[in-house]
Amino acid sequence: MGVRGDAFTKPSVYHPASVVHIFFPITVSRSYMVTFMFMPIQTMHINVLYSGSVVTAFCDEEDMLKAIYFQTSEMQRTFASYPELLLIDATYKLNDLNMPLYVLMSVDGNGESEIVCLWLTQFEDKETITELVQEFKKHNSRWSTTECIMSDKDMTERHVLSEQFPQSKLLICLFHTLRSMKREVSTEKLGISQGERWYVLGDSVENGLCKK
């Protein structure tokens, strides 16, 4: 259910401008964030339109905040112009409550990455990620033309993306692949010498893509 900003009778922490400040900057005071997170609200799904932006708060059965979806009209236009490739990754330790920030990006005609959506979430379970992906599809009609999605190795996230974007090829980025190689190809786990480890990792070590 959607509620416009002028329909709010709850404290000003729910004003869309206040929600924007959670993202810009990401680091906010603990007292402010806790007030937003745990103030009971009356709707399970709040949608606010503010200056062309979409801010959606997802709540659980006890009306406690689970996640926030944020997308400006400029982000929507960017994705509509370059929907073929979607990059998605979670960034951690950007706020003092340790809530992961998911950044969704497209690549423009100059090969530059452009942010097209932001998610701030308390949970990374299948239900929450599915709700966020469905919200993205709701506000971005060209999602069906996305040909390729690049994400990290989180299996829950990848499973949801495969379900919600059946037409898209799902890839894993080079950074996460090499980081996993570095972690798994170890002298302790495989019982090999340090020289053998460096030989297996090969060019990724020599080129600085994977640290020794």
Side-chain angles (χ1 to χ4, degrees):
M1 178 172 65
V3 181
R4 293 190 63 83
D6 53 10
F8 280 96
T9 59
K10 290 294 174 180
S12 60
V13 289
Y14 296 111
H15 189 282
S18 300
V19 178
V20 171
H21 287 304
I22 294 177
F23 294 97
F24 307 108
I26 296 300
T27 303
V28 295
S29 67
R30 175 174 290 273
S31 59
Y32 180 92
M33 194 68 174
V34 169
T35 300
F36 184 88
M37 286 173 55
F38 296 104
M39 183 75 71
I41 53 181
Q42 300 304 314
T43 58
M44 298 296 293
H45 180 243
I46 299 177
N47 178 255
V48 181
L49 301 180
Y50 180 72
S51 298
S53 300
V54 179
V55 182
T56 306
F58 295 90
C59 306
D60 62 18
E61 292 79 3
E62 298 179 353
D63 285 345
M64 299 301 172
L65 183 68
K66 295 197 304 180
I68 301 171
Y69 174 102
F70 177 81
Q71 188 179 42
T72 66
S73 57
E74 179 63 27
M75 291 177 183
Q76 289 177 314
R77 286 192 294 271
T78 299
F79 180 76
S81 298
Y82 309 101
E84 296 83 7
L85 173 63
L86 182 63
L87 313 176
I88 178 170
D89 196 14
T91 304
Y92 299 84
K93 299 181 181 179
L94 289 183
N95 59 76
D96 59 4
L97 292 174
N98 294 321
M99 294 177 68
L101 173 69
Y102 279 75
V103 181
L104 284 70
M105 295 185 292
S106 290
V107 178
D108 64 20
N110 294 320
E112 299 289 338
S113 57
E114 301 285 348
I115 295 176
V116 296
C117 194
L118 295 170
W119 305 339
L120 191 63
T121 179
Q122 291 197 76
F123 309 104
E124 296 181 275
D125 58 292
K126 182 179 179 181
E127 178 184 355
T128 304
I129 299 300
T130 299
E131 288 178 327
L132 290 165
V133 172
Q134 290 176 342
E135 189 74 4
F136 180 82
K137 292 168 63 176
K138 173 183 174 181
H139 297 288
N140 300 272
S141 60
R142 297 205 65 194
W143 69 268
S144 58
T145 62
T146 299
E147 299 178 4
C148 182
I149 300 176
M150 185 171 292
S151 68
D152 61 21
K153 64 180 183 64
D154 182 85
M155 295 308 297
T156 299
E157 175 188 317
R158 294 176 68 85
H159 182 66
V160 171
L161 292 171
S162 296
E163 286 185 341
Q164 297 297 319
F165 290 82
Q167 81 287 354
S168 303
K169 180 182 295 184
L170 192 58
L171 303 178
I172 186 170
C173 73
L174 179 62
F175 170 78
H176 288 100
T177 300
L178 293 177
R179 188 174 66 175
S180 295
M181 286 179 61
K182 175 197 171 187
R183 181 173 57 248
E184 297 301 324
V185 180
S186 67
T187 56
E188 294 80 8
K189 290 184 177 181
L190 299 182
I192 57 178
S193 68
Q194 191 71 349
E196 290 173 321
R197 177 175 182 268
W198 292 351
Y199 177 80
V200 170
L201 293 177
D203 292 340
S204 60
V205 171
E206 294 179 8
N207 296 331
L209 298 175
C210 182
K211 295 182 180 180
K212 295 182 181 181

